[in-house]
Amino acid sequence: VITPNHFELDFLAGAETSTYDELLDAVEEVRRSGPSVVLVTSAVLDETPEGMLDMVAVSEAGAWRTRFPRLDVNPPGAGDLTTAVFLANLLDGRPLDEALARTTASVFAVVAATAEAGERELRIIQSQDELASPSRTFEAERLR
């Protein structure tokens, strides 16, 4: 499992991506180097509406996307939290689309709580119930 953000994916694949087709081609290039599961975080593509971010998960089972509102905070550790939550969902045996949807919901809740508190540090402890059982849902849409 590898979890690059959009910029890191482009670097790893040696390509600049601005559409879903280009992004998915870049993911496949990275998958050929070893990782069977790729989660691209903070993707902003031509098709991504303003004020939103996309997260894309790809494996041999297919490709899915979630879309969520961009928040006015970018706390340190959000990528690490995303990786940990995604891996935990996969290790719990959830299918890729469900792991992506739950990861999006859990991480969004923590980052939203961080923004609401006006803090720089992630509000992980204060949001622990949302990590375990997110109250908000984000639907995973199949791309391929």
Side-chain angles (χ1 to χ4, degrees):
V1 175
I2 187 171
T3 61
N5 64 35
H6 188 176
F7 173 80
E8 293 164 338
L9 173 72
D10 284 359
F11 178 80
L12 290 170
E16 190 171 315
T17 61
S18 60
T19 67
Y20 283 112
D21 285 338
E22 292 171 347
L23 182 111
L24 294 174
D25 288 346
V27 166
E28 290 308 319
E29 180 66 28
V30 169
R31 288 184 70 228
R32 280 192 280 279
S33 71
S36 62
V37 177
V38 177
L39 174 68
V40 182
T41 65
S42 304
V44 179
L45 301 164
D46 292 345
E47 298 98 327
T48 308
E50 189 166 330
M52 303 296 277
L53 291 172
D54 292 334
M55 196 166 354
V56 177
V58 181
S59 75
E60 67 282 344
W64 284 269
R65 174 200 75 198
T66 53
R67 179 168 285 155
F68 53 96
R70 182 189 301 239
L71 299 171
D72 291 332
V73 63
N74 187 16
D80 294 333
L81 177 64
T82 302
T83 298
V85 171
F86 184 65
L87 184 58
N89 277 290
L90 290 177
L91 292 174
D92 269 351
R94 290 189 169 82
L96 190 64
D97 60 327
E98 186 180 332
L100 173 63
R102 285 182 59 84
T103 298
T104 303
S106 294
V107 174
F108 184 84
V110 173
V111 175
T114 303
E116 283 179 26
E119 296 288 332
R120 183 164 156 72
E121 292 294 321
L122 286 171
R123 309 295 282 182
I124 294 172
I125 300 301
Q126 298 83 349
S127 306
Q128 63 186 331
D129 292 340
E130 288 291 324
L131 282 170
S133 183
S135 59
R136 183 173 181 171
T137 59
F138 290 93
E139 194 68 32
E141 178 184 336
R142 189 172 185 109
L143 297 173
R144 283 191 183 158

